[in-house]
Amino acid sequence: MSLVIQNLSKHYGSGAAAVPVFANVSLQIERGEFVAIVGESGVGKSTLLNCMAGLDHWSSGSISLDGTDIGQLNDTQLALWRRGHVGFVFQAFHVLPHLDVAQNMALPLMLLKRNDPAAVQAMLEAVGLAGLGERLPQELSGGQLQRVAIARALIHQPRLVLADEPTGNLDPSTAAQVIDVLLAQTRLHNASLVLVTHSQAAAARADRVLHLHSDGLAG
């Protein structure tokens, strides 16, 4: 099964005042595949990623994952679908400062009502944060915080992992380590990974690199 995007277009406003973001985007990503999306600033890479997650609306076209057309889901159904099938890694980490590392990681499991301390401990070890579960986010480095974000995105074993510039705030050495962790964990569970990035080093790790332009995607 796969992620299938057909003739997707997005614009803001309507009529003559409509401002296009991207148009005619068609893409198929197979299970376990790693695809990087690159392009100039302002062409809508992050917006496209948000559409894949059902976090943003699009103007025309369709997105389906394993046969589920997410454009046909209402807001409640989308939230439940996203909770069970999607993991999202942001550039700015978005960890909760009042929760410790283990609690931040466990949030998706809590939302799914799957209390699993053993899974949290195993994930701490898998992303190189063993022994740091009780630390607060402000006690961690940027690279460690991004590992927390990756662990949180993957703890519930999602079908699709979306990463928006996950190495944008990191030095090259730490960025490479973060991509190593992200790849290892997505491949362990045969999840599809879509990475939006400006980093040539990160994009070079992908199975495919696609360039987003205002009028579509090109390989």
Side-chain angles (χ1 to χ4, degrees):
M1 301 296 281
S2 57
L3 173 71
V4 180
I5 299 174
Q6 294 183 314
N7 299 317
L8 201 74
S9 297
K10 168 77 176 179
H11 60 257
Y12 295 110
S14 59
V19 177
V21 181
F22 53 76
N24 306 314
V25 171
S26 293
L27 171 65
Q28 182 163 327
I29 300 174
E30 301 301 330
R31 180 134 200 170
E33 189 176 13
F34 173 19
V35 173
I37 297 177
V38 301
E40 296 180 0
S41 296
V43 297
K45 299 185 300 298
S46 293
T47 302
L48 176 59
L49 211 65
N50 286 338
C51 288
M52 292 182 193
L55 291 168
D56 202 349
H57 298 287
W58 51 93
S59 304
S60 61
S62 65
I63 301 175
S64 63
L65 180 67
D66 295 345
T68 298
D69 184 345
I70 68 172
Q72 300 301 312
L73 304 179
N74 61 35
D75 288 345
T76 300
Q77 291 170 328
L78 262 177
L80 292 172
W81 171 83
R82 189 164 47 244
R83 187 179 299 173
H85 299 285
V86 179
F88 215 121
V89 184
F90 302 91
Q91 178 178 353
F93 316 137
H94 291 303
V95 297
L96 298 180
H98 60 286
L99 299 181
D100 66 28
V101 167
Q103 290 167 332
N104 267 286
M105 285 186 182
L107 278 173
L109 295 178
M110 181 187 71
L111 292 171
L112 292 167
K113 298 181 178 175
R114 286 164 42 191
N115 182 33
D116 194 345
V120 173
Q121 290 303 313
M123 184 61 77
L124 280 165
E125 294 182 12
V127 299
L129 296 175
L132 302 183
E134 295 183 356
R135 289 198 183 181
L136 292 173
Q138 56 266 36
E139 300 176 283
L140 302 183
S141 68
Q144 289 172 326
L145 285 170
Q146 194 58 284
R147 288 168 184 252
V148 175
I150 290 170
R152 181 185 56 197
L154 296 170
I155 190 72
H156 59 303
Q157 299 182 16
R159 163 69 179 79
L160 175 64
V161 178
L162 304 172
D164 190 0
E165 292 283 7
T167 63
N169 291 328
L170 306 176
D171 64 82
S173 177
T174 304
Q177 293 171 14
V178 163
I179 293 296
D180 286 343
V181 171
L182 187 57
L183 270 173
Q185 290 302 306
T186 51
R187 285 175 173 164
L188 180 64
H189 301 295
N190 199 30
S192 301
L193 171 61
V194 183
L195 170 73
V196 161
T197 186
H198 283 105
S199 167
Q200 294 183 350
R205 307 282 297 275
D207 300 315
R208 279 191 290 157
V209 179
L210 301 176
H211 296 258
L212 181 62
H213 307 278
S214 58
D215 58 350
L217 276 172

